[in-house]
């Protein structure tokens, strides 16, 4: 009997070992799955498992004081995860956390936060998160696997379109135990999906009413983050107070972050009023976007005395780029020749000299100033292979890198670009009738509306209006308040708007949200131009499938070429630096992250020095 039991025991052990080998990818032909402290989109994480703090954070930053944040616009909701309403975006990170957190010195690497570890295989056919048993919501309840599954289902069914799109790719989700969640991703064909799930906001199942989740609310959310919402003045301000019982205050990923006892978000409906409030010291810092103001506007007493400090930061990510966006859902912009003609008519050289003091550059495409940009760069063999099925859609000059945006003589009366534009418009069915451009068939004048919401946007729109008049086009410029602008933009109820898409060094799933065909008629996405191009869709799929950097870069460049070839926008300018003005009561680390400025790393001057565990 004893020997029989020993045989059974040995057989059972062998079965367990075999089962473990299959589950963890040790069987023949299956890549090993590894549990790790972090996950990178391409390559390996830069920080080791025993890192003590992020390189751009000051681990000894003192705690205390208040940061007042001046925000342009208004709000009517504290829920940034749904389409309805104008939400306070700072709920993410400060109040509601995700499973993993970004390392902002890397293109796309995530480190453990609510999840202390992440596990996936080489195919990324699944991802498993193991929660930190210390993690707690602000009401003291432990963050559990059921909260993760609840959040996934809730946002998949009721969240913003991008969240629904991402989370619907999960084939199956399960919780083997109260602190472990596994997502099976078979068939998703999306190597970024484990990271996207790692950034999923985790909401408390016990504090959410599913029936009313997709309605706007000013009720303070229950989160697991370092701050709680403690005061709300509808449309005017929100106060966040540091949670002294915050469960994650000693994590390496948080060391030196979230240093203020209080953060107050004060909202301003008008840009000039917002700036005047800063000059009076009513809020602590501003990110300046207007060259004229940066050049001339800071000659006031506090700036001259050094009480207001001006910092120039040069991040390592693609340069923010502003565009005038054609809504191609409108018949007047459906013809690409019309869009090409109007691109010719925008006089950048005149605008840059008169409005921007020559501080801006101009690049076609959406990844300016980075290795991902295709502009001015010939396509390599891999790009040509990717774009071969769509060769008819991509002009030769865009493929060989010789295409350039029009350059005028800067006079506002450039004849060469005018002649080229009128030729394209004639081919599209429009002729000059005296001083009015008319549709050849209907005799209707060529006119459309440029919708703006800030003084800076209005100046550019009026300059473009002047350029267009030379071609017989009489657009109207309509200024609306930020609320109406956002509502109409999200519903695609406009002819032309100014917009910018911020890009990273690791573009991924969000590109479908920006330009994918499925997003074109789905309100709430950022496909404002209404792009429906199989070449664009295919290139997004290719960049998501890329495993190595050498495959990823050509795929992104090929996407850039497909977008440039569509003439969906008129490139206005590229910004190579971040301009930050702050009152000297606010201090920041000497090191700057790859992504640029990060208010969560700042602290109040004059507070006692922190002595945190290393």
């Amino acid at each position: 009997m004893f020997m029989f039991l020993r045989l059974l025991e040995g057989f059972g052990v062998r079965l367990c070992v075999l089962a473990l080998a299959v589950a963890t990818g040790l069987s023949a032909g299956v890549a090993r799955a590894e549990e790790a402290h972090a996950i990178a989109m391409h390559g390996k994480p830069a920080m080791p498992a025993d890192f003590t703090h992020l390189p751009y954070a000051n681990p000894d930053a003192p705690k205390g004081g208040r940061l007042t944040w001046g925000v342009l616009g208004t709000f009517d909701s504290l829920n940034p995860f749904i389409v309805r309403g104008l939400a306070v975006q700072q709920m993410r990170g400060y109040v509601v956390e995700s499973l993993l957190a970004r390392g902002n010195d890397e293109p796309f690497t995530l480190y453990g936060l609510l999840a202390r570890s992440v596990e996936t295989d080489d195919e990324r056919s699944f991802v498993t998160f193991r929660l930190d048993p210390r993690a707690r919501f602000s009401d003291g309840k432990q963050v559990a696997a059921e909260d993760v599954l609840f959040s996934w289902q809730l946002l998949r069914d009721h969240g913003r379109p991008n969240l629904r799109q991402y989370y619907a790719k999960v084939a199956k989700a399960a919780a083997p135990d109260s602190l472990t969640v596994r997502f099976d991703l078979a068939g998703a064909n999306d190597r970024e999906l484990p990271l996207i799930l790692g950034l999923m906001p985790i909401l408390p199942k016990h504090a959410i009413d599913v029936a009313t989740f997709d309605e706007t609310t000013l009720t303070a959310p229950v989160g697991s983050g370092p701050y709680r919402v403690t005061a709300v003045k509808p449309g005017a301000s929100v106060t966040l107070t540091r949670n002294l019982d915050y469960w994650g205050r000693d994590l390496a990923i948080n060391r030196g972050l979230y240093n203020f006892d209080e953060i107050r978000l004060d909202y301003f409906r008008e840009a000039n009023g917002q700036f005047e409030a800063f000059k009076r010291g009513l809020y602590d810092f501003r990110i300046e976007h207007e060259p004229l103001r940066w050049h001339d506007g800071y000659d006031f007493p506090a700036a001259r005395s050094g009480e207001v400090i001006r910092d120039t930061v040069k991040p390592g990510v693609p340069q923010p780029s502003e565009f005038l966006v054609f809504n191609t859902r409108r018949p007047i912009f459906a013809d690409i020749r019309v869009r090409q003609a109007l691109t010719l008519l925008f006089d950048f050289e005149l605008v840059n000299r008169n409005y921007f003091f020559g501080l801006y550059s101009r690049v076609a495409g959406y990844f300016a100033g980075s290795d991902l940009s295709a502009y001015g760069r010939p396509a390599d063999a891999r790009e040509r292979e990717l774009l071969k099925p769509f060769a008819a859609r991509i002009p030769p000059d865009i493929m060989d890198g010789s295409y350039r945006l029009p350059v005028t003589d800067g006079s506002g009366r450039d004849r060469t670009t005018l002649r080229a534009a009128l030729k394209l418009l004639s081919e599209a069915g429009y002729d000059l009738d005296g001083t009015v451009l008319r549709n050849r068939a209907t005799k209707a004048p060529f006119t459309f509306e440029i919708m703006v919401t800030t003084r800076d946007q209005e100046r550019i729109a009026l300059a473009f209006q002047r350029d267009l008049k030379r071609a017989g086009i009489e657009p109207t410029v309509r200024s609306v308040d930020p609320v109406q602008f956002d509502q109409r933009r999200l519903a695609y109820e406009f002819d032309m708007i100014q917009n910018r898409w911020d890009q990273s060094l690791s573009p991924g799933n969000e590109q479908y949200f920006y330009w994918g065909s499925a997003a074109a008629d789905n309100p709430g996405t950022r496909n404002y131009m209404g792009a429906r191009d199989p070449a664009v869709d295919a290139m997004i799929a290719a960049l998501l499938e890329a495993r190595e950097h050498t495959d990823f870069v050509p795929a992104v460049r090929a996407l850039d070429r497909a977008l440039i070839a569509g003439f969906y926008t008129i490139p206005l300018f590229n910004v190579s630096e971040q301009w930050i003005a702050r009152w000297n009561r606010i201090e920041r680390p000497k090191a700057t992250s790859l992504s640029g400025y990060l208010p969560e790393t700042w602290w109040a001057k004059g507070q006692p020095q922190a002595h945190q565990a290393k």
Side-chain angles (χ1 to χ4, degrees), residues 155-380:
L155 297 170
R156 179 197 62 187
D157 299 338
H158 302 282
R160 296 185 67 85
N162 58 324
L163 302 179
R164 297 186 192 190
Q165 178 180 318
Y166 300 154
Y167 303 157
K169 293 183 178 183
V170 174
K172 182 182 177 182
D177 59 59
S178 64
L179 293 176
T180 305
V181 178
R182 175 182 168 121
F183 294 99
D184 288 306
L185 313 177
N189 197 28
D190 183 348
R191 294 187 56 77
E192 190 187 34
L193 194 52
L195 285 83
I196 294 297
L197 291 168
L199 289 176
M200 179 170 60
I202 303 305
L203 305 170
K205 181 178 180 180
H206 65 278
I208 299 288
D209 183 352
V210 176
T212 60
F213 177 74
D214 57 2
E215 299 175 4
T216 61
T217 180
L218 293 177
T219 301
V222 175
S224 62
Y227 289 86
R228 296 168 170 164
V229 177
T230 53
V232 178
K233 294 183 179 179
S237 70
V238 176
T239 300
L240 309 178
T241 301
R242 191 157 61 93
N243 182 5
L244 298 180
D245 296 323
Y246 173 46
W247 74 274
R249 61 183 177 273
D250 295 324
L251 295 178
I253 192 71
N254 287 329
R255 198 161 290 143
L257 274 58
Y258 308 117
N259 301 309
F260 296 95
D261 282 347
E262 183 176 286
I263 295 176
R264 193 177 71 205
L265 308 169
D266 285 344
Y267 283 75
F268 299 85
R269 289 181 174 267
E270 193 271 325
N272 286 335
Q274 180 193 28
F275 182 57
E276 291 302 316
F278 176 74
K279 290 164 64 175
R280 293 166 55 196
L282 297 183
Y283 60 96
D284 293 316
F285 76 97
R286 60 181 283 111
I287 308 305
E288 189 58 73
H289 299 292
E290 211 281 299
L292 175 61
R293 186 178 290 127
W294 188 250
H295 190 269
D296 291 340
Y298 286 82
D299 186 20
F300 54 90
R304 290 193 295 268
S305 69
E307 290 181 274
V308 168
I309 300 169
R310 294 202 293 166
D311 298 322
T312 298
V313 175
K314 193 173 182 65
V317 296
Q319 297 171 1
S321 304
E322 294 282 344
F323 304 87
L324 286 174
V325 183
F326 298 105
N327 187 351
T328 63
R329 304 170 187 85
R330 299 288 206 246
I332 200 167
F333 293 140
D335 193 314
I336 193 173
R337 293 167 296 187
V338 170
R339 306 197 295 271
Q340 289 173 308
L342 269 61
T343 300
L344 287 167
L345 291 171
F346 180 73
D347 194 336
F348 168 73
E349 284 64 35
L350 181 66
V351 169
N352 193 33
R353 184 183 70 240
N354 290 351
Y355 295 166
F356 304 146
F357 299 92
L359 293 174
Y360 288 157
S361 58
R362 190 179 185 223
V363 171
Y366 301 85
F367 303 92
S370 76
D371 192 44
L372 303 178
S373 175
Y375 185 64
R377 179 182 279 124
D380 64 16

Side-chain angles (χ1 to χ4, degrees), residues 336 340 379 384 387 390-403 533 561-567:
I336 193 173
Q340 289 173 308
R384 292 184 179 278
L387 289 169
F390 314 100
R393 295 175 176 268
I394 316 294
D397 59 344
I398 292 178
M399 287 298 295
D400 65 24
S402 63
Y403 170 73
D533 187 341
R561 293 186 203 278
L563 290 168
I564 294 171
F567 287 90

Side-chain angles (χ1 to χ4, degrees), residues 503-521:
Q503 295 283 10
S504 72
L505 290 172
S506 183
N509 268 295
E510 78 285 347
Q511 303 301 303
Y512 277 127
F513 193 62
Y514 292 172
W515 343 101
S517 297
D521 294 315

